[in-house]
Amino acid sequence: MIRARKRSAREPTIALINIVFLMLVFFMVAGTLAQPMDGDLSLVRTKDLDGRAPPNALVVHEDGRLSYRGESVDSAVGFLARLDEAERTELRLVPDRDLPAERLVMLAAELRAAGAQKVLVVTERGLE
């Protein structure tokens, strides 16, 4: 009688596929997918800042109304005429979130045409 050879248990390929998949996920997470920032750069922390508009900013409401330090302003050009030369160098706008972008761009163009040297738009940003 000839003895039957025992079949060796085959390695399951599913386990090998799982290991390769896990290694792929590990290297994707651990690897750098984007260029790193400069090592000596430290970002500004805005998490604890107060969410109020700066006191020297022109506030633009959703419906297009303008206000400055809580008082209503008739027009952007009239507002700019009240400022002295030093205040015209850097003018801050605080737009409402729901203000149409076209209105904001038109207002900034009006201010630049009226003599504002730099118009800055103040926004809320959370980068963590």
Side-chain angles (χ1 to χ4, degrees):
M1 249 201 215
I2 300 176
R3 251 187 203 186
R5 287 187 184 177
K6 284 188 174 182
R7 285 189 160 178
S8 61
R10 293 179 51 185
E11 290 290 324
T13 57
I14 298 295
L16 183 61
I17 292 171
N18 286 343
I19 290 171
V20 171
F21 179 76
L22 288 173
M23 287 175 59
L24 174 68
V25 169
F26 172 78
F27 286 114
M28 284 177 56
V29 170
T32 302
L33 298 176
Q35 291 290 341
M37 290 188 285
D38 292 338
D40 59 345
L41 178 71
S42 62
L43 298 175
V44 176
R45 301 213 31 92
T46 60
K47 184 177 179 181
D48 299 325
L49 288 180
D50 195 6
R52 290 180 291 144
N56 59 345
L58 181 62
V59 178
V60 187
H61 299 273
E62 178 183 2
D63 57 359
R65 288 180 298 116
L66 302 173
S67 64
Y68 180 71
R69 295 184 178 173
E71 296 178 13
S72 182
V73 175
D74 294 332
S75 70
V77 176
F79 166 73
L80 199 60
R82 293 190 303 181
L83 300 177
D84 63 2
E85 191 63 33
E87 292 175 319
R88 288 185 193 178
T89 58
E90 211 172 78
L91 184 65
R92 287 179 169 72
L93 286 177
V94 180
D96 187 273
R97 180 182 308 239
D98 297 323
L99 179 73
E102 297 87 16
R103 176 67 182 124
L104 181 61
V105 171
M106 285 178 17
L107 181 62
E110 283 178 36
L111 290 168
R112 293 279 297 160
Q117 294 176 9
K118 188 189 283 188
V119 178
L120 303 173
V121 178
V122 179
T123 63
E124 176 183 62
R125 180 176 175 159
L127 177 65
E128 293 191 36

